[in-house]
Amino acid sequence: MATMNISLPDDLRAFADAQVHAHLYASSSEYVRELIRRDRETAVVREAVLKGMRSGEGSRMDADYFDGLRASVRDAS
């Protein structure tokens, strides 16, 4: 595992320490790893949304659309 050293202002260090204790992280490193994992997941979701937006004109998603979707799921099982 690679090592990364970061410098934090006192108020951010105090906040990070409080989060470690409040959420039972094993260490501040585990807390930072979790933040980075969440940010990576957010980036993946954001890219998927943008890809969908760039894919072209959408279709109307009203009650009839969802009724048809439910029916196709029922028919498939």
Side-chain angles (χ1 to χ4, degrees), residues 1-3 23 27-28 36-37 49 54-55 58 68-69 74-75:
M1 183 178 302
T3 300
H23 299 286
S27 65
S28 56
I36 293 170
R37 285 185 202 105
V49 168
R54 291 185 207 112
S55 69
L69 189 59
R74 276 192 303 271
D75 293 344

Side-chain angles (χ1 to χ4, degrees), residues 10-39:
D10 291 340
D11 62 325
L12 289 181
R13 174 63 191 256
F15 178 79
D17 288 342
Q19 294 302 301
V20 168
H21 296 297
H23 299 286
L24 303 176
Y25 289 102
S27 65
S28 56
S29 292
E30 182 56 36
Y31 174 60
V32 171
R33 284 191 291 270
E34 179 65 21
L35 291 176
I36 293 170
R37 285 185 202 105
R38 288 182 193 175
D39 193 42

Side-chain angles (χ1 to χ4, degrees), residues 46-58:
R46 182 181 299 120
E47 186 55 38
V49 168
L50 291 172
K51 183 179 177 182
M53 291 172 66
R54 291 185 207 112
S55 69
E57 190 67 29

Side-chain angles (χ1 to χ4, degrees), residues 61-76:
M61 297 177 71
D62 55 12
D64 290 336
Y65 170 83
F66 287 104
D67 289 343
L69 189 59
R70 286 185 200 94
S72 66
V73 169
R74 276 192 303 271
D75 293 344

